Amino acid sequence: MKQNLSVQIVFPSYELPKEYLTVIGQIDHTIITESTTPTLSSKNSIYVHSGLTNLPQFDFLKDLNVVIRCKFSEIIHGGHLIASVFPFVRRLNIVMTDIEVINGEDLDGYNNTLNSLSDVILKEYVRGHFVQTNLLTDRFMLDEMNNCNAGIETITLAPDGKFYICPAFYFDSGDYGLGDSCFNVGDLENGLHIPNIRLYDLEHAPLCRICDAYQCKRCVWLNRKTTYEVNTPSHEQCVITHIERNASRSLLKRIQEKTTLLPNKVIKEINYLDPFDIKPNY
Ligand code: SF4
């Protein structure tokens, strides 16, 4: 709090003792909690739903942010389930949990799913319900990069009393052959020490800084896992993100044709799915 950081607290799936809630309630905070957690009606809550089962029955609250975590294949085969949620929520973030294992074959399926979801979103926009989703609407609302920025804008304090760049690093026990199975970047006693902190910055990410997939999470944990470098993305991350970018471009054009919204917004046509293919020679 002394460093003017906002606090996000990941709640367990069970109810916390009242004493905990009293202490937590004394500071500005955001609660991140499973969708099955006993009711928390705070507007600052973010509800996380695992998988696509029970979605239509799930009692979404319109003013809250909802996150669905699921596998890539679930998105491809369960697009209709995701689509059924849009009419009822203000914002739906969809987080893929296995982006690093996708293969080229699935990409057409992903594109088709995004187009089906676009049909539903377009209907919602036409009826005046401006639902947001990270996969399709964020890109056409943005004019510059809006990434996760873990390590630069956020830091995680884990239950072991240590700091991590983000919760993914805390839960990650793999050492990827590099011998550093421990990803903590300090602790409460000794403070925060992030080695090479500038590498988390957009300016020091050579591919990302020439990219216009502004909605990309630019996940540094995924970068670390797939390329061993926090500032270098995998081909998969870039391709998936560019399929979303291009689907967003199509949806934007359809919204402009059917409504008076976003009349001056333009997303230019590009002919690549990975900025690595157009990178300058350094
Ligand atoms: S699509 Fe690739 S290059 Fe572009 S911001 Fe995302 S990770 Fe970086």
Side-chain angles (χ1 to χ4, degrees), residues 1-44:
M1 296 303 287
K2 281 184 187 167
Q3 297 186 33
N4 203 23
L5 299 171
S6 72
V7 180
Q8 300 184 335
I9 302 170
V10 181
F11 270 43
S13 54
Y14 50 87
E15 203 151 6
L16 284 178
K18 214 169 139 202
E19 293 82 354
Y20 281 46
L21 297 174
T22 304
V23 173
I24 290 169
Q26 291 168 1
I27 54 167
D28 281 340
H29 66 279
T30 301
I31 295 170
I32 302 172
T33 183
E34 287 182 32
S35 58
T36 50
T37 303
T39 310
L40 292 163
S41 56
S42 163
K43 285 205 170 183
N44 289 332

Side-chain angles (χ1 to χ4, degrees), residues 145 147 207-208 211-213 216-218 223 233-234 237-239 241-242 274-275:
M145 278 288 175
N147 315 128
L207 287 178
C208 301
C211 177
D212 80 344
C216 182
K217 282 192 289 298
R218 217 164 64 77
N223 290 353
S234 67
Q237 181 169 196
C238 294
V239 168
T241 305
H242 277 77
D274 184 344

